[in-house]
Amino acid sequence: MSEQQVETPPSQEHHEGGFRPIAELGRDNSKGGPHYGEFIEQVRGLMDRVRLASPTDEIALEAIAELKKLNERLDEVVTDEWSAPSWHRTDLPARGNLTLPPYLVDQADREGVRARITFRTFHLGGNGAAHGGHIALGFDDLLGMTAAVHTRAVTRTAYLHVDYRSITPLNTELAVHGWVERVEGRKVFVRATLHDGERLCAEANGLFLMLKPGQQ
C-alpha cells in the first residue's frame, strides 16, 4: 500500500474540507459488498485477541506468515480514501470505520445525536477499563456528527475537552448523547455525555468550526 493512496488530496468533487460531501453520505451502502460488515467484524475480533495475546514463538511465526499472505491479498483491492467503503457505510457500526470504537446511531437530527457505543477488548486501558484516548476518539467522531447534522455543514475540531467521571467498562453497550449548545458564526459549541445505565462515565465539551468553501 502506498502513501499516495492514503494522502491523495481531494479532487474538485471532494472539496468540503477534505471530506466526502455531506450530500453523498449514506447514498450507496453497497460499497465493499454484502459481506463488508462481517469483514470488519472479523478484523475487530483479531484486534481484540492480539491485545491480550501472549503467543508462543511457533504461533507468532504461523500468524505472521498468515498475515503476510492476507496483506498481500488485500493489496490487490486497496483503493484511495474517496473510494474506500470505510466511513461511508452508514448501515454499519461507526460507518464501517475500523479505527473507531463501534457505535450504533439511534437519533441524529438538529436536536442532537444519541448513540450506543461499545469499547471492546482492543480499547483496554488498564484494570478492565477503556483507555481514555479511545473514549476521546468516540466523543470526537460523534460530536463532529452532532455539529454537522445541526449545521448541515462540514466541520473540523478546534478543541475537545473530556472529563472522566468514573470507570468506563469494556464490552458493554453505553449511551452517548451529543448536542449543540450554541452557534456563533462559524463556531459550533457542543457537549456530550457517556453513560453506563444511570452512571456517568465521562462528559465532553468542544468547539467545531464550519469550514469555508475549499478550506481543508
Side-chain angles (χ1 to χ4, degrees):
M1 184 174 65
S2 69
E3 291 185 4
Q4 185 178 2
Q5 288 168 309
V6 177
E7 299 176 357
T8 301
S11 64
Q12 185 63 31
E13 180 186 5
H14 301 100
H15 63 280
E16 297 185 10
F19 296 99
R20 287 189 178 92
I22 287 179
E24 289 187 5
L25 294 180
R27 288 194 171 188
D28 183 6
N29 285 329
S30 66
K31 282 193 172 185
H35 302 297
Y36 185 76
E38 178 61 20
F39 167 64
I40 293 297
E41 176 59 27
Q42 289 300 319
V43 178
R44 287 192 187 276
L46 173 65
M47 293 161 61
D48 288 338
R49 288 164 176 79
V50 170
R51 177 64 179 83
L52 294 179
S54 178
T56 64
D57 197 47
E58 178 184 4
I59 291 178
L61 289 171
E62 180 181 341
I64 290 168
E66 291 297 324
L67 288 169
K68 283 183 175 179
K69 290 180 182 177
L70 180 58
N71 284 331
E72 289 174 358
R73 186 77 171 109
L74 290 176
D75 272 340
E76 300 174 13
V77 293
V78 169
T79 183
D80 60 75
E81 175 184 349
W82 311 108
S83 304
S86 179
W87 224 336
H88 185 80
R89 289 287 298 265
T90 56
D91 59 320
L92 299 176
R95 303 192 299 285
N97 188 340
L98 185 66
T99 64
L100 297 173
Y103 61 78
L104 297 169
V105 176
D106 294 316
Q107 173 192 344
D109 53 36
R110 284 185 56 84
E111 298 302 312
V113 170
R114 293 184 183 274
R116 290 165 284 141
I117 191 168
T118 302
F119 297 95
R120 297 174 55 142
T121 303
F122 173 75
H123 305 113
L124 172 65
N127 199 24
H131 192 291
H134 289 298
I135 296 169
L137 176 61
F139 272 137
D140 187 46
D141 194 70
L142 284 162
L143 281 174
M145 180 187 300
T146 300
V149 170
H150 185 88
T151 62
R152 298 305 298 169
V154 174
T155 65
R156 277 197 183 273
T157 313
Y159 72 74
L160 178 67
H161 177 88
V162 180
D163 290 305
Y164 301 94
R165 301 304 188 186
S166 62
I167 294 298
T168 298
L170 297 176
N171 300 307
T172 302
E173 192 172 73
L174 309 173
V176 181
H177 178 206
W179 66 95
V180 172
E181 279 197 316
R182 67 187 188 278
V183 178
E184 297 177 359
R186 293 170 54 214
K187 298 179 180 180
V188 187
F189 295 88
V190 291
R191 298 191 70 89
T193 57
L194 174 69
H195 279 87
D196 177 16
E198 296 298 317
R199 181 170 59 86
L200 177 63
C201 298
E203 54 188 332
N205 66 84
L207 169 62
F208 286 71
L209 295 178
M210 289 184 276
L211 299 182
K212 298 178 181 178
Q215 185 178 17
Q216 290 187 317

